[in-house]
Amino acid sequence: MRLSEYFLPLLRENPSEAQIVSHRLMLRAGMIRQSSAGIYSWLPLGLRVLKRVEQIVREEQDRSGALEILMPTIQPAELWRESGRYDDYGKEMLRIKDRHDREMLYGPTNEEQVTDIVRGAIKSYRDLPKNLYHIQWKFRDEVRPRFGVMRGREFLMKDNYSFDVDAAGAKHSYNKMFLAYLRTFARMGLKAIPMRADTGPIGGDLSHEFQILAETGESEVFCDRAWLNTDILAEEVDYDSDLEPFFRHWTSLYAATDEMHKPDTCPIPSEQLVTARGIEVGHIFYFGTKYSVPLGALVAGPDGEMVPLEMGSYGIGVSRLVGTLIEANHDDNGIIWPDSVAPFSLGLINLRVADARCRAAADALYGKLRSAGVTVLYDDRDESPGAKFAAMDLIGLPDQLILGPRGLAAGTIEWKHRRSGARQDLPIDTAVARFVA
Ligand code: 5CA
């Protein structure tokens, strides 16, 4: 992409409304623009990151055997009356009426909607287990939307729902998602600690939140000091094997959210306990028959008797992850994207657009990189070198190639690694090979 043709409205000054670094940098780097409180438009650069995050989430869901669907954002109130949540959900739910005066709502989550789909379609235990997911916008009329996409009113969530014939099957489905979540966050270079959590308005009695430790986190969390030195790897595990040992291993170290942590009964000594702030990027729930009973979602079990479906639901804050990734990856000059989610893998800067030889060489390099499949953002604008360096550092692409008249005369181009700041002159002809490899 040529920057001269791109839409990247950078801000020079720090926007005064942004209180945390990710919000500031997303606005300054032209990733998002606010529409109204807690509601944002995603501009080209931000949308590329959102799509990459979404794709990692999707790949790990698919790997676990979950099936992608797409449910609507607008749901009928009747369904929520069946579960009893229409009244329980309170002011967070955006309620609307259509032209026939029928009550509708903008979905804050989809337990009722998905149970309605499954109750009409699955009649026998032979068609189970099933795990359905979608990646869809949600609306929650939060009392205090803040921190940009971190606590929005409209936000993108991956939510899925598992259906099993009995509790043992449902626990296996829960364990699968537990594993898929560890893999998902690890692929983004994030250390998400699974913590015992409260179930809130979703309900149920087994629940974990996946928390990224960060000073700007909204939740107070408690965990064993040993977590600080524990790497969570994207382990390869067979999803069809017994996942209980794996689950026990990753829940053996103490970790709990504010609502679940009780100082009097905490199993570890106080010197071993860390109190920190966390960003909740995912939350999984096992709630058994909480929705299947009131909605009448029954299947014939092995002995022919009708039994209510055993269910769990599992959420990942896809748009919140974009902010979280910036909280975890930035410096004074701007964002530093991990390779796995970077909007482009490489920034190419032509320092002297007015120089015909520089332009020809930079154009040629851009063409070669593109045809080799490298995603490149090419700064071909007529701007000062200082402005170009600052812009490239701000948007945080992992690598930069900087071409100027001096290097060109020597047949070299400067490579800069954004994260380490390392710089090196490379022969122009080997530069392409390096990024294709
Ligand atoms: N139905 C369940 C699981 S699918 C559910 O809704 N869980 S949740 O309420 O915990 O939300 C799932 C994830 O969405 C959270 O872990 C968080 O990462 C994200 N999320 C929740 N509220 C917001 C919000 N206001 N802004 C941005 N992300 C949010």
Side-chain angles (χ1 to χ4, degrees):
M1 177 56 64
R2 286 175 180 271
L3 197 41
S4 61
E5 294 167 6
Y6 205 42
F7 181 53
L8 187 70
L10 302 178
L11 302 181
R12 236 179 262 282
E13 304 298 327
N14 274 328
S16 58
E17 74 268 26
Q19 298 165 333
I20 64 170
V21 67
S22 58
H23 189 194
R24 256 192 319 269
L25 289 174
M26 286 182 82
L27 290 169
R28 283 195 50 207
M31 294 177 65
I32 53 168
R33 279 294 175 272
Q34 183 174 308
S35 164
S36 61
I39 304 181
Y40 292 87
S41 298
W42 290 76
L43 307 187
L45 191 78
L47 186 60
R48 285 182 79 102
V49 179
L50 186 69
K51 293 276 174 202
R52 291 205 75 187
V53 169
E54 182 182 323
Q55 187 55 22
I56 292 176
V57 171
R58 175 177 290 114
E59 284 169 16
E60 293 306 323
Q61 286 299 308
D62 292 347
R63 190 194 303 275
S64 80
L67 302 167
E68 186 165 10
I69 60 175
L70 186 57
M71 291 179 272
T73 54
I74 307 289
Q75 304 178 25
E78 294 125 61
L79 266 181
W80 287 68
R81 290 221 167 82
E82 284 189 57
S83 71
R85 279 208 295 182
Y86 192 64
D87 295 326
D88 293 354
Y89 223 94
K91 290 199 158 184
E92 266 194 20
M93 182 188 279
L94 180 65
R95 297 152 205 262
I96 31 194
K97 278 194 180 150
D98 71 8
R99 65 198 299 159
H100 306 292
D101 246 12
R102 276 192 287 255
E103 290 176 292
M104 316 284 285
L105 58 100
Y106 196 118
T109 175
N110 286 60
E111 280 80 5
E112 288 78 357
Q113 182 82 74
V114 76
T115 306
D116 179 50
I117 294 171
V118 167
R119 70 177 166 185
I122 295 187
K123 303 288 185 199
S124 160
Y125 77 99
R126 287 195 195 86
D127 301 322
L128 297 175
K130 283 283 174 291
N131 190 330
L132 303 175
Y133 78 96
H134 74 162
I135 301 173
Q136 177 63 292
W137 293 91
K138 304 288 186 288
F139 191 91
R140 294 182 185 174
D141 205 350
E142 302 275 354
V143 192
R144 221 145 84 81
R146 57 182 185 155
F147 300 160
V149 300
M150 296 292 232
R151 179 159 300 275
R153 292 199 296 164
E154 191 180 57
F155 59 96
L156 189 60
M157 193 200 286
K158 183 286 299 167
D159 40 325
N160 53 329
Y161 305 87
S162 63
F163 302 89
D164 283 89
V165 71
D166 55 24
K171 181 63 190 347
H172 183 62
S173 295
Y174 187 90
N175 289 351
K176 279 187 178 179
M177 282 303 111
F178 189 93
L179 167 57
Y181 277 36
L182 290 183
R183 287 188 51 92
T184 301
F185 301 126
R187 276 186 63 187
M188 296 174 197
L190 289 172
K191 178 164 164 181
I193 304 178
M195 304 197 174
R196 277 306 295 249
D198 190 27
T199 55
I202 308 293
D205 42 31
L206 175 62
S207 172
H208 286 86
E209 282 179 11
F210 291 76
Q211 294 274 354
I212 311 289
L213 300 188
E215 278 164 29
T216 49
E218 287 191 281
S219 341
E220 181 160 57
V221 296
F222 302 85
C223 68
D224 193 310
R225 191 168 296 285
W227 272 115
L228 304 182
N229 305 313
T230 302
D231 276 334
I232 303 176
L233 301 173
E235 277 185 67
E236 210 43 91
V237 179
D238 175 5
Y239 277 100
D240 293 324
S241 65
D242 177 15
L243 297 175
E244 255 324 284
F246 177 88
F247 174 78
R248 276 200 294 274
H249 172 72
W250 286 106
T251 50
S252 59
L253 276 181
Y254 184 75
T257 61
D258 197 15
E259 299 85 8
M260 298 305 277
H261 176 72
K262 303 279 172 292
D264 305 341
T265 55
C266 178
I268 59 171
S270 60
E271 61 279 10
Q272 191 59 23
L273 185 73
V274 176
T275 306
R277 312 291 304 174
I279 303 172
E280 181 200 319
V281 289
H283 197 165
I284 60 178
F285 305 80
Y286 163 60
F287 46 71
T289 60
K290 173 172 176 188
Y291 299 92
S292 55
V293 167
L295 272 79
L298 310 177
V299 294
D303 51 10
E305 217 173 305
M306 297 302 281
V307 291
L309 288 164
E310 283 279 334
M311 292 176 56
S313 76
Y314 315 88
I316 289 182
V318 177
S319 47
R320 175 179 287 183
L321 270 168
V322 177
T324 307
L325 281 156
I326 297 176
E327 290 294 323
N329 298 281
H330 67 270
D331 64 12
D332 290 346
N333 297 327
I335 305 166
I336 308 174
W337 292 114
D339 294 343
S340 58
V341 298
F344 296 89
S345 54
L346 183 65
L348 171 63
I349 299 179
N350 176 6
L351 286 179
R352 191 77 63 79
V353 176
D355 179 325
R357 287 186 56 233
C358 269
R359 203 170 56 236
D363 281 357
L365 191 55
Y366 173 60
K368 278 190 199 154
L369 286 162
R370 286 219 319 171
S371 36
V374 183
T375 55
V376 194
L377 186 63
Y378 172 23
D379 193 345
D380 60 342
R381 298 170 307 161
D382 190 10
E383 288 277 348
S384 72
K388 293 188 173 189
F389 295 141
M392 210 43 101
D393 279 356
L394 173 64
I395 66 173
L397 308 182
D399 291 287
Q400 303 173 9
L401 283 176
I402 303 152
L403 186 93
R406 209 171 317 141
L408 186 59
T412 62
I413 189 164
E414 188 181 24
W415 162 65
K416 178 180 163 187
H417 186 239
R418 175 68 180 88
R419 189 175 292 274
S420 63
R423 293 163 179 278
Q424 197 186 333
D425 286 332
L426 304 173
I428 294 182
D429 12 312
T430 66
V432 176
R434 174 169 200 130
F435 292 99
V436 175

